[in-house]
Amino acid sequence: MSQKLVLASNNAKKAFEMQTLLAPLGLEIILQAQLGVGEAEEPHFTFIENALAKARHAAAATGLPAIADDSGLCVAALGGAPGVHSARFAGEPKSDERNNQFLLEQLSNVPESERDAWYYCCLVLVRHAGDPCPMIADGQWHGFILDTPRGGGGFGYDPLFWLPEPGKSAAELDPAHKNALSHRGTAMRQLLERLREQPLLSKE
């Protein structure tokens, strides 16, 4: 029987990526919205604080172990922005298309040689809402920001995130290739190693 794990997100594409990686351990990802859980507040300045807040919120609302990631795009020329504000860079309501357009506007006078950027992901897993020892993992994925979108896969800023090797945008990668390279894939592999060493417990 699989162990249910609540994902503190309503992003179905993100859930699919995580489910692919966690399935070998017998863990079943359930979106928090499927259990009637609303989104947590994300008032913090760092990815790790927001991820922890989201994981504890989902665990408290469901009584199940919960996993949350806080991830985003950091652009060197913008001082690390959009950072923790990546999902709402262009304001409400959240829109990948508007975020991408706004990013291009912000970089309109920045030459290609200065468009270094990286995706960052912090993953937090709590066994229960009061877990004093959450499992924490992170990963980075370095690339550059394009002038125009390329590819129809992925989500977020993937169509603008160029990877010199393999010479594609993140949105042009198939899911397996993306998982092998991405910030979230790197963080998930760290987390998987910890889960193999330490079984997941759902009770306090």
Side-chain angles (χ1 to χ4, degrees):
M1 180 179 294
S2 62
Q3 165 73 63
K4 290 181 170 57
L5 187 63
V6 180
L7 175 60
S9 169
N10 296 325
N11 189 321
K13 292 183 179 180
K14 186 180 294 185
F16 177 79
E17 286 186 5
M18 288 192 176
Q19 182 62 68
T20 301
L21 293 163
L22 290 171
L25 292 184
L27 296 172
E28 178 189 352
I29 290 287
I30 303 174
L31 286 171
Q32 62 182 9
Q34 294 177 258
L35 301 175
V37 180
E39 294 187 352
E41 294 293 324
E42 300 177 48
H44 304 291
F45 294 108
T46 64
F47 291 105
I48 187 171
E49 290 174 294
N50 284 331
L52 185 56
K54 290 190 284 187
R56 292 202 189 282
H57 172 78
T62 64
L64 292 169
I67 185 170
D69 88 318
D70 202 47
S71 55
L73 180 72
C74 300
V75 181
L78 300 179
V84 296
H85 304 295
S86 292
R88 297 175 173 81
F89 194 35
E92 296 284 2
K94 292 188 290 185
S95 165
D96 287 350
E97 184 177 353
R98 290 196 303 110
N99 286 339
N100 279 284
Q101 183 57 44
F102 187 60
L103 176 61
L104 291 177
E105 291 170 6
Q106 297 299 301
L107 294 174
S108 60
N109 295 319
V110 178
E112 181 180 344
S113 60
E114 297 176 18
R115 288 179 168 229
D116 302 66
W118 64 96
Y119 271 124
Y120 179 80
C121 173
C122 180
L123 279 173
V124 171
L125 189 152
V126 295
R127 301 161 189 81
H128 52 85
D131 190 348
C133 301
M135 294 185 185
I136 299 172
D138 68 353
Q140 295 187 32
W141 195 18
H142 291 266
F144 301 89
I145 302 301
L146 294 166
D147 285 323
T148 56
R150 287 185 52 166
F155 56 91
Y157 299 91
D158 286 356
L160 292 177
F161 192 69
W162 178 254
L163 304 158
E165 180 62 42
K168 295 181 178 181
S169 76
E172 294 176 306
L173 300 176
D174 63 69
H177 198 180
K178 183 181 178 184
N179 280 338
L181 299 175
S182 76
H183 54 310
R184 188 170 295 108
T186 298
M188 284 298 303
R189 285 188 289 276
Q190 288 181 18
L191 187 64
L192 285 169
E193 286 302 312
R194 295 178 188 179
L195 283 168
R196 290 188 182 102
E197 296 169 359
Q198 187 173 358
L200 180 63
L201 302 175
S202 59
K203 295 182 179 180
E204 298 190 33

